[in-house]
Amino acid sequence: MPKPEAKNQLYLYLAGALLVVALGVLFYSWQASNNSYRAVFLTNNQVFFGKMVGQNQNYITLENVFYIQDKQDLENADTTGDVSLIRAGREVHGPTNQIEISRPQVLFMQTLQDDSKILSAIMQYQSTNR
């Protein structure tokens, strides 16, 4: 019969191993969600799509940003149906392709699935415009 100290030590090792596995799973899922493209819906009915690279209590920062525009008045756009996906940064005022969004303007955010039509259009744009 094992000694009580050995049995307690075995339980301690098992608990430590489970903790390491759980932390690994949490870190992996956090990394995966931080490397995902997001749809950010604003209070003014505008939607931005991009990779979330930062956030704090005041702002959400996206880079590689795109937005949807009606087919009218299009220039340098990738058309998908009745709307076009526009890469931010090509506007007249010449901004970078990063945007900081004030949290009070955000209604909600969603992570884009791998089979998203928007994400497919973004990946296609990136592969043809490197």
Side-chain angles (χ1 to χ4, degrees), residues 60-127:
I60 295 168
T61 304
L62 298 178
E63 68 179 22
N64 197 26
V65 180
F66 290 80
Y67 57 91
I68 293 177
Q69 184 175 11
D70 289 332
K71 267 188 163 179
Q72 306 164 41
D73 302 324
L74 296 179
E75 196 170 71
N76 299 319
D78 296 325
T79 303
T80 55
D82 292 338
V83 295
S84 292
L85 191 62
I86 308 295
R87 181 182 180 272
R90 293 188 172 184
E91 295 82 4
V92 162
H93 59 286
T96 65
N97 190 246
Q98 184 172 330
I99 186 169
E100 290 182 346
I101 302 169
S102 176
R103 279 200 179 266
Q105 300 304 312
V106 176
L107 285 175
F108 63 94
M109 296 183 292
Q110 293 180 312
T111 302
L112 300 181
Q113 295 183 27
D114 291 339
D115 62 350
S116 161
K117 290 181 182 181
I118 294 290
L119 186 56
S120 294
I122 290 171
M123 295 302 148
Q124 181 179 356
Y125 176 87
Q126 288 177 336
S127 68

Side-chain angles (χ1 to χ4, degrees), residues 5 84 128:
E5 298 111 21
S84 292
T128 58

